[in-house]
Amino acid sequence: MPRSSTHPDSTARAAGRKKDPQIDEAVLRATLELLEEVGYAGTSISQVSSRVGVYRPAIYRRWPSKQHLVAEAVASALGHEPTPDTGDLRADLLTGVGTLVDAFTATNVSRVLPALVADLAQQPDLREQFLASVFRTRRASTARRLRAAAERGEIRPDFDMEFVLDALAAPVYYRALFGHGPVTPALTEQSVDLVLTSLERH
């Protein structure tokens, strides 16, 4: 008798099949494109699968919902290790915060963010995924540069790290969420310079 495609052996092979990084990248890229074209509400797993040319189950094996997919797509646009280590703290912070400005101005991420934040509030597992993939990794990158600068004597060592990390990025996120002012490189400089002034050694 011919073996059914749903035979346990074939199911086990499918479940154990390794993910293809190229498919992951293509799906994330297609998701960002669709977010740009039709917005958060208009984007669907079906549209993404059609654009990439893969079956929907292949996407659902990687991301359990549209919200999880969008969260990772936004994470890929924002970057995970934004702040370099060149030994020049101001330049490094400008680069790090500047990646937010670039993402919000070069893509549709700023328009997606309010709806995504609303979903994060309703889904604890999605919120944890986003915090782990975007929030904590970006902050850890910047925190390492601040600690290194303190060790070099470039800034005072007695500062509240969590507050400083908030202060660096908050103006950019605030404007991206509410749209009441432009998100520009000038905003990056204002944020970084204000924080650095507060960190000057006395």
Side-chain angles (χ1 to χ4, degrees):
M1 177 181 291
R3 179 173 293 174
S4 167
S5 62
T6 58
H7 189 279
D9 289 349
S10 62
T11 303
R13 284 197 301 272
R17 192 175 298 146
K18 292 183 178 179
K19 295 178 181 179
D20 185 342
Q22 291 185 330
I23 292 179
D24 291 1
E25 292 171 10
V27 169
L28 293 174
R29 185 167 56 250
T31 301
L32 288 172
E33 291 172 357
L34 283 165
L35 290 171
E36 188 76 27
E37 295 167 14
V38 300
Y40 185 83
T43 298
S44 68
I45 295 289
S46 294
Q47 289 173 308
V48 174
S49 68
S50 295
R51 179 161 298 199
V52 179
V54 299
Y55 292 112
R56 284 185 299 171
I59 296 177
Y60 281 116
R61 280 199 298 270
R62 293 162 168 81
W63 298 277
S65 71
K66 164 188 157 178
Q67 289 81 4
H68 285 81
L69 174 56
V70 170
E72 188 161 341
V74 169
S76 71
L78 295 178
H80 305 284
E81 185 84 11
T83 310
D85 186 9
T86 67
D88 182 336
L89 181 61
R90 183 177 186 273
D92 293 344
L93 294 178
L94 286 174
T95 298
V97 178
T99 61
L100 288 176
V101 173
D102 291 343
F104 290 146
T105 55
T107 70
N108 201 25
V109 168
S110 61
R111 285 176 52 199
V112 171
L113 204 57
L116 180 59
V117 168
D119 280 342
L120 294 178
Q122 300 296 323
Q123 301 185 50
D125 66 321
L126 179 63
R127 177 177 180 274
E128 181 57 34
Q129 174 188 315
F130 190 78
L131 288 176
S133 62
V134 178
F135 195 74
R136 296 191 188 109
T137 54
R138 290 184 60 89
R139 288 166 76 85
S141 167
T142 305
R144 287 192 292 272
R145 309 308 173 238
L146 288 165
R147 290 192 194 97
E151 291 172 0
R152 293 194 302 266
E154 193 174 344
I155 58 176
R156 61 185 178 85
D158 57 330
F159 62 91
D160 183 335
M161 178 66 78
E162 294 303 309
F163 178 81
V164 167
L165 294 173
D166 286 344
L168 282 167
V172 179
Y173 280 119
Y174 194 75
R175 288 194 178 185
L177 277 170
F178 294 102
H180 62 287
V183 177
T184 65
L187 179 62
T188 302
E189 290 195 30
Q190 287 178 294
S191 300
V192 169
D193 287 341
L194 184 63
V195 168
L196 288 178
T197 298
S198 74
L199 295 177
E200 288 178 353
R201 298 179 68 92
H202 299 296

